[in-house]
Amino acid sequence: HLGEFDDSRRHYQESLRIYGRVVGKDHASYAAALHNIGNLNRSQVHMDDSLSAIQRLQLHEDAMGYLEDAWRIRKDELGEEHPHTISSRSNLGSTMASQVLQQQQQHQQQQKQQESSKYTKLRWEIAEEHLREALETAVSNPRGDHIKATSSSSSSSSGGHIVTLSAAAAAQNLAVFLKAKATIRTEHQPSDDALAEAKNLYLQTLAVRKELLHETHPDLVATKYSLAELYSAIGDEEAANRLRSEIVGSYDVTESDQAPPQKEKRS
């Protein structure tokens, strides 16, 4: 609901003002507030159906500004390899890609695709660079809870194994980008290689999140849903439906779980 987004934004903006005054605008806490506002704008773009096209573009632009500032501060304060830095950079790339997709849809409707193709290609390439380098950094510098990489597990496009939640989040963002890149109509030709890479990233992300998160955790559900959509795109409805059933099954509560314990009747 629009009001809820506005309320959240006011709270985050107030946090931003407080952190800026107390710890300074080059502090990691200030960057965290920037990151949160950027992610709020990203969420509103995808969840608020009342927005006009212009409002969506403005939210995308604002989100990119917040996330880019957060990334630069975190890189200076926490280091390029810190999970928070990686998260801001990966989300920045994802937001840029989302904006390109929206602009392409508008230009196609207005039959101005050729005029925007050069700008679109540049933004597309920058977005992919952010996404790939964020994943590479996360994979090369695993921090936090992790799963054990096995000799049979696939490696990511960065050449290493995705074993942490930080790397899984970066892989998810890149996979979403690759699926979009492979399936939309642009001067980039649809690519089976991009879909295959996206599938590999989703599968590795799923392995990490299945082991480290609860079965109803939103991040795990998001990966299952995205992978199911990819399976549908490549014509594997059996695999897609299996994942959808897993999602539904994880929320099922049996009657025995819901029913309160029965008191014994006195004779």
Side-chain angles (χ1 to χ4, degrees):
H1 189 275
L2 179 58
E4 294 175 353
F5 283 110
D6 287 343
D7 287 344
S8 297
R9 188 171 291 106
R10 279 193 291 272
H11 288 305
Y12 283 139
Q13 291 284 5
E14 181 61 22
S15 298
L16 197 64
R17 284 191 289 272
I18 293 171
Y19 284 129
R21 185 173 64 250
V22 175
V23 298
K25 296 184 178 181
D26 57 353
H27 194 276
S29 296
Y30 186 81
L34 290 168
H35 180 90
N36 288 337
I37 299 173
N39 277 343
L40 178 70
N41 286 356
R42 291 179 67 214
S43 298
Q44 186 172 0
V45 167
H46 296 292
M47 297 174 63
D48 190 350
D49 295 332
S50 68
L51 295 173
S52 67
I54 293 176
Q55 288 174 318
R56 292 180 191 279
L57 285 173
Q58 186 59 57
L59 282 170
H60 270 134
E61 286 288 345
D62 291 346
M64 285 190 293
Y66 286 121
L67 290 167
E68 185 165 11
D69 287 346
W71 168 49
R72 295 191 186 284
I73 294 169
R74 284 175 160 177
K75 184 168 61 171
D76 290 340
E77 289 291 296
L78 304 176
E80 193 167 1
E81 300 168 358
H82 194 283
H84 291 171
T85 309
I86 293 168
S87 177
S88 289
R89 186 172 194 185
S90 181
N91 287 355
L92 171 60
S94 181
T95 304
M96 292 181 70
S98 180
Q99 186 196 44
V100 170
L101 291 175
Q102 184 189 346
Q103 288 176 325
Q104 284 183 317
Q105 290 170 354
Q106 287 182 291
H107 290 140
Q108 285 172 351
Q109 292 171 357
Q110 299 168 3
Q111 296 182 341
K112 293 181 180 179
Q113 182 65 28
Q114 287 185 348
E115 297 175 17
S116 65
S117 61
K118 189 173 182 180
Y119 169 83
T120 295
K121 183 178 180 181
L122 177 61
R123 273 292 178 98
W124 199 253
E125 290 172 350
I126 294 172
E128 185 168 1
E129 179 183 352
H130 280 304
L131 289 163
R132 288 193 179 280
E133 292 194 10
L135 176 58
E136 182 177 354
T137 303
V139 168
S140 302
N141 304 275
R143 297 191 186 185
D145 293 340
H146 64 278
I147 65 171
K148 184 177 181 180
T150 63
S151 57
S152 60
S153 59
S154 302
S155 61
S156 70
S157 51
S158 63
H161 296 287
I162 295 168
V163 296
T164 65
L165 290 174
S166 174
Q172 173 90 9
N173 282 343
L174 177 56
V176 170
F177 169 87
L178 290 169
K179 179 178 178 293
K181 180 179 178 180
T183 55
I184 65 170
R185 282 190 166 188
T186 67
E187 61 187 9
H188 302 84
Q189 294 299 315
S191 168
D192 290 338
D193 290 342
L195 287 175
E197 185 181 356
K199 177 183 173 183
N200 179 40
L201 290 168
Y202 278 137
L203 287 171
Q204 290 189 76
T205 300
L206 184 61
V208 173
R209 289 179 166 175
K210 263 189 171 182
E211 186 165 333
L212 299 180
L213 301 176
H214 187 271
E215 63 179 351
T216 58
H217 193 286
D219 290 347
L220 176 55
V221 173
T223 300
K224 288 182 178 181
Y225 178 83
S226 297
L227 181 55
E229 292 296 295
L230 185 142
Y231 277 133
S232 288
I234 61 178
D236 191 347
E237 286 298 331
E238 182 179 352
N241 289 332
R242 185 166 59 248
L243 282 169
R244 291 172 184 138
S245 296
E246 279 188 26
I247 294 172
V248 173
S250 65
Y251 287 100
D252 281 347
V253 180
T254 63
E255 291 183 7
S256 59
D257 291 331
Q258 289 182 321
Q262 298 293 319
K263 293 182 178 179
E264 291 185 9
K265 293 182 179 179
R266 294 182 180 178
S267 55

